[in-house]
Amino acid sequence: MSIVGLLIVLGAVGLQVLSGVNEQTNELIKLQRRIAAYRQVQHDTTNQLYSISTALLLQDDRMLDAALRQLSQFGYDLDRMEFVAVSEAEVLGQVRLEYDLFTAGVTRVAELIRAGRTEEARKVQLDEIVPSADRLERLTNQLVNMAEADMVAAIEATEGAYGTSRLIVVSFAVGSILLALGLGYIISWSLIEPVKKIETRLRQIAAGDFAQQVAVANRDELGVLAGNVNQTSEQLGRLYQEVQARTAELARSVGELEALGEVSKAVNSTLDLDTVLKTIVAKAVQLSGTDAGTIYVFSSASQKFRLRATYGMSEELIDEIASQPVGLNDQGIGDAARQRTAVQLPDLSEGKLSPVLKVVFEAGYRSVLIVPLLRPNKIVGALVVRRHQPGEFDHKVIQLLETFAAQSVLAIQNAKLFREIEEKGRELEAASRHKSQFLANMSHELRTPLNSVLGFTELLVDGIYGELPERAKATVSRVQANGRHLLGLINDVLDLSKIEAGQLTLTLEDYSVGQIVRSAVTAVEPLARSKGLALAATVPEHLPLGRGDERRLTQVLLNLAGNAVKFTERGAVDIFADAVDGHFEIIVRDTGPGIAPEDQSLIFEEFQQVDNSSTRQKGGTGLGLAISKRFVEMHGGTIDVESVPGSGSTFRITIPINAEERVKAA
């Protein structure tokens, strides 16, 4: 506040000085104007005398007119001088009087010159005008001297005021500096000492000392800051203690999570029940801070608990515990299973003990915790941990062991399911093998008599045993057609059974895609012509030779082309073949009824048909596409379908140009 007051006073003094300087400057400007006006009158007087003299000498009217005009200008200068020199009224009055005399003399001289009275005009000039001009000059010189004296006095006053103002300003500036230094010294000490105390306290807090307090007598912001530092120190002390407790708890939780992770890993990485249960009981003992543990598995048939996994016990103790039968009515394990909750025995030295607990007590254990292994409406077993010291178990330990118990139940269940799946898998594998063998045997046994039947019917149709009547001939022809159809079905079943049994192999040799397409077109063309369908095949020239089983690939294309012609009532069936990126691509497109999206993935499975009613009308067992898919996959290729109901279907086969036989089709 003192510094602010000094600055305000300094500003006021400065404004006053500036105001005085401004006034002195204005006064000097006025004096300068007065001197200029006086000088102008002197100049005009001299010019007037010169003009009159010249006019007398030359006796020129123009010169006289110029002199009179200058006389008017002289009057204007005199008026200006009276305006700027109001304070010199007496002298100005004398100047005005002399000016009037001078004006009258000049006017008279001009008239005498115009009248030709030159001598008289010269006499007036010498007797009246020249003396008047001299007096005007003296008066104006007097005014100039007075104005210059005033200017010198004003300059001296300005210099004195400047010196006084400078002294005042310097005094105030020096006083302000001295006051600022003194106040700054006082303020700095009032700030530095509390700041140093607070800094020292903060270093103590950073070092972990939260018990000290900082004492600051200031009642300003530093005092408030010191109080906040003390309060913060107290809060940090409490938080530090809480963090230490939380850290210890977190470390324990991390250990528990790591143990649970290892148990989960053991459960998920192996289905060996003994390995998983040993891992669980070992981690349970370690994290619960106990000395030993066991896991029992309950048998529903015998209603007994059987020792399955142990940790921290000698072989002699394990054998002795395992020899003691444990049932649902026994103390400890039986109680936990019946009550479906954890049971603890804090001190085994108190009360009567069961045979198993007596063995445990004699081995030096004094407290036991039993956690049942449960499933909904079913007892699986029990997890038991033991300590040498008596006392109750913490509830966190109980919760942890309950989690381990749940993992144990999951491991036991997974192991049982795995054993069941293995057994079912072996049974299914045996059944599939028997089915394939049966189908292969039956197909072989059926084909032999069927081929005989077809051979005899062909002999009958050809008239080897005599000409048959027309009705008998037609009946034998139908028998022959149905027999051939049945032979095709038997061949399909035989091929499928061989594929499943891994007995069907490909005969790899060079083949022509164009020849396969032509063979398929030749086979289905009569049926297409009879239904009025347009059958076309597009095969580019100079396609490379492929390597694969030509007979099986021809069978695949015949299945696709035959189905297209069979299910298409009007329109066309088109076959395209080409070589793209090291693969043959064969496309069969028809204008038939199409296949619904939900049926497109079923048509390649065994004995699956798009529409049983329509398929039955057209005939078929649902094996053709399944076998075709297997043949294509054995060549390392793929077969798929694109279809929209009502817009036809497009089947696409993609196989390597040089195929290697796959051992088993997908």
Side-chain angles (χ1 to χ4, degrees):
M1 294 296 294
S2 300
I3 294 174
V4 171
L6 285 174
L7 291 175
I8 293 174
V9 173
L10 182 62
V13 171
L15 289 175
Q16 185 177 2
V17 170
L18 290 175
S19 177
V21 171
N22 185 52
E23 291 177 359
Q24 293 295 331
T25 302
N26 291 333
E27 186 64 26
L28 289 174
I29 292 172
K30 290 179 181 180
L31 291 173
Q32 187 178 7
R33 288 178 179 176
R34 286 168 57 187
I35 292 172
Y38 298 158
R39 297 292 186 190
Q40 187 65 40
V41 169
Q42 288 179 336
H43 182 266
D44 291 343
T45 302
T46 303
N47 287 340
Q48 192 70 32
L49 289 174
Y50 177 76
S51 299
I52 293 298
S53 299
T54 303
L56 289 173
L57 180 64
L58 299 176
Q59 297 182 2
D60 189 359
D61 290 338
R62 290 181 298 178
M63 295 297 293
L64 290 174
D65 292 336
L68 292 176
R69 286 195 300 272
Q70 288 178 357
L71 187 62
S72 299
Q73 180 65 31
F74 185 80
Y76 169 75
D77 293 338
L78 185 60
D79 293 337
R80 176 186 172 200
M81 185 176 65
E82 290 178 349
F83 176 74
V84 299
V86 179
S87 62
E88 308 295 340
E90 182 179 355
V91 179
L92 288 175
Q94 296 177 7
V95 172
R96 171 64 68 180
L97 180 61
E98 291 297 332
Y99 171 72
D100 292 339
L101 294 175
F102 183 79
T103 302
V106 172
T107 304
R108 185 178 175 188
V109 168
E111 291 176 352
L112 290 174
I113 292 174
R114 284 192 179 94
R117 299 163 61 184
T118 306
E119 291 297 329
E120 188 177 354
R122 186 174 290 109
K123 185 175 183 341
V124 171
Q125 177 186 9
L126 295 174
D127 296 339
E128 297 180 6
I129 295 175
V130 172
S132 179
D134 292 337
R135 288 191 296 273
L136 281 173
E137 184 176 1
R138 285 195 301 272
L139 291 173
T140 53
N141 285 334
Q142 184 180 355
L143 290 173
V144 169
N145 294 332
M146 294 172 64
E148 288 178 348
D150 292 340
M151 179 176 286
V152 171
I155 291 173
E156 291 177 353
T158 302
E159 290 178 351
Y162 171 73
T164 303
S165 301
R166 181 175 59 186
L167 180 60
I168 293 173
V169 171
V170 170
S171 299
F172 273 102
V174 172
S176 300
I177 292 172
L178 294 175
L179 180 61
L181 290 174
L183 294 176
Y185 180 78
I186 296 172
I187 293 173
S188 63
W189 272 108
S190 65
L191 293 175
I192 291 173
E193 185 178 4
V195 168
K196 286 184 175 179
K197 292 181 178 179
I198 294 173
E199 181 184 5
T200 302
R201 181 70 195 108
L202 290 175
R203 284 200 297 268
Q204 293 174 348
I205 293 174
D209 182 6
F210 304 104
Q212 303 296 326
Q213 295 287 319
V214 58
V216 175
N218 296 40
R219 292 181 294 177
D220 53 8
E221 288 81 359
L222 288 175
V224 176
L225 178 60
N228 292 334
V229 169
N230 292 331
Q231 184 179 2
T232 302
S233 177
E234 294 176 358
Q235 294 178 353
L236 286 175
R238 290 195 299 269
L239 290 175
Y240 182 72
Q241 294 176 355
E242 293 179 3
V243 167
Q244 285 184 324
R246 293 287 181 87
T247 302
E249 184 178 355
L250 182 60
R252 185 172 58 254
S253 299
V254 168
E256 294 174 358
L257 290 175
E258 289 178 350
L260 288 175
E262 293 181 10
V263 171
S264 299
K265 183 179 179 181
V267 171
N268 296 324
S269 62
T270 180
L271 291 171
D272 181 62
L273 184 58
D274 292 332
T275 302
V276 174
L277 294 183
K278 287 179 180 178
T279 302
I280 292 174
V281 70
K283 294 300 179 182
V285 170
Q286 293 172 6
L287 291 178
S288 63
T290 54
D291 301 308
T294 57
I295 289 182
Y296 288 87
V297 175
F298 182 71
S299 174
S300 300
S302 62
Q303 293 292 296
K304 297 292 182 182
F305 289 90
R306 183 169 59 89
L307 187 64
R308 189 62 185 266
T310 63
Y311 179 81
M313 296 187 301
S314 64
E315 293 294 334
E316 294 79 6
L317 181 58
I318 294 173
D319 294 338
E320 191 172 356
I321 291 176
S323 64
Q324 300 294 331
V326 180
L328 288 174
N329 295 323
D330 285 5
Q331 182 184 8
I333 297 176
D335 295 337
R338 292 195 314 274
Q339 298 171 14
R340 302 182 69 85
T341 185
V343 172
Q344 59 174 313
L345 302 174
D347 193 349
L348 295 180
S349 62
E350 299 177 355
K352 188 178 180 180
L353 300 177
S354 66
V356 174
L357 292 176
K358 185 178 295 185
V359 171
V360 171
F361 178 75
E362 293 174 352
Y365 298 100
R366 293 295 178 264
S367 57
V368 176
L369 174 63
I370 305 104
V371 180
L373 309 179
L374 303 172
R375 289 184 59 199
N377 302 322
K378 187 176 182 181
I379 300 172
V380 178
L383 171 62
V384 183
V385 293
R386 306 178 182 89
R387 291 187 309 200
H388 292 298
Q389 296 81 18
E392 293 189 355
F393 290 82
D394 188 82
H395 71 282
K396 293 183 178 179
V397 173
I398 297 175
Q399 291 178 352
L400 176 63
L401 293 186
E402 287 176 344
T403 302
F404 276 81
Q407 294 284 352
S408 302
V409 172
L410 179 62
I412 295 171
Q413 183 65 20
N414 287 346
K416 289 182 178 179
L417 290 175
F418 180 69
R419 286 198 299 270
E420 293 176 0
I421 291 173
E422 281 187 331
E423 293 175 359
K424 294 296 183 182
R426 287 192 293 268
E427 293 175 0
L428 289 174
E429 185 179 356
S432 177
R433 186 171 59 255
H434 294 158
K435 180 205 69 171
S436 299
Q437 186 175 0
F438 171 76
L439 289 176
N441 293 336
M442 288 301 299
S443 299
H444 180 73
E445 295 298 329
L446 289 174
R447 282 201 306 171
T448 301
L450 184 59
N451 283 326
S452 299
V453 171
L454 290 176
F456 285 125
T457 55
E458 186 175 356
L459 293 175
L460 290 174
V461 170
D462 292 340
I464 299 300
Y465 301 105
E467 194 67 26
L468 295 176
E470 289 299 325
R471 293 181 61 185
K473 195 172 185 179
T475 301
V476 172
S477 297
R478 285 197 298 272
V479 170
Q480 188 178 24
N482 290 326
R484 288 175 179 171
H485 178 65
L486 179 59
L487 181 60
L489 296 179
I490 293 173
N491 288 332
D492 289 343
V493 171
L494 182 59
D495 288 341
L496 183 62
S497 62
K498 286 183 177 180
I499 293 174
E500 291 180 347
Q503 298 175 355
L504 191 144
T505 59
L506 299 178
T507 303
L508 299 180
E509 57 185 4
D510 293 339
Y511 67 89
S512 169
V513 173
Q515 182 60 39
I516 291 176
V517 173
R518 285 190 291 273
S519 299
V521 170
T522 302
V524 300
E525 186 177 12
L527 180 59
R529 186 169 55 253
S530 66
K531 298 180 68 173
L533 301 177
L535 179 62
T538 303
V539 181
E541 296 182 359
H542 309 298
L543 284 180
L545 291 177
R547 182 166 182 80
D549 193 325
E550 181 177 1
R551 185 171 69 87
R552 297 302 183 183
L553 292 177
T554 303
Q555 183 179 347
V556 171
L557 187 56
L558 278 174
N559 277 328
L560 296 180
N563 285 344
V565 173
K566 180 169 62 176
F567 289 100
T568 302
E569 298 299 330
R570 55 182 175 273
V573 174
D574 298 310
I575 301 175
F576 305 91
D578 202 353
V580 180
D581 296 331
H583 290 75
F584 285 129
E585 188 175 77
I586 304 174
I587 298 174
V588 178
R589 182 178 297 130
D590 62 59
T591 57
I595 304 171
E598 61 271 14
D599 294 329
Q600 292 179 14
S601 60
L602 299 177
I603 60 176
F604 294 105
E605 297 181 8
E606 296 88 348
F607 306 104
Q608 294 292 332
Q609 299 171 343
V610 176
D611 182 354
N612 286 330
S613 60
S614 62
T615 306
R616 293 303 181 195
Q617 294 175 2
K618 301 296 183 179
T621 61
L623 289 176
L625 291 179
I627 295 174
S628 299
K629 182 173 182 295
R630 301 293 182 90
F631 286 156
V632 171
E633 290 175 347
M634 290 176 69
H635 281 79
T638 59
I639 180 171
D640 54 36
V641 61
E642 298 175 3
S643 180
V644 177
S647 300
S649 303
T650 300
F651 285 83
R652 179 177 285 101
I653 303 171
T654 302
I655 55 174
I657 294 178
N658 294 315
E660 296 291 339
E661 181 180 2
R662 268 49 177 181
V663 176
K664 186 176 181 181

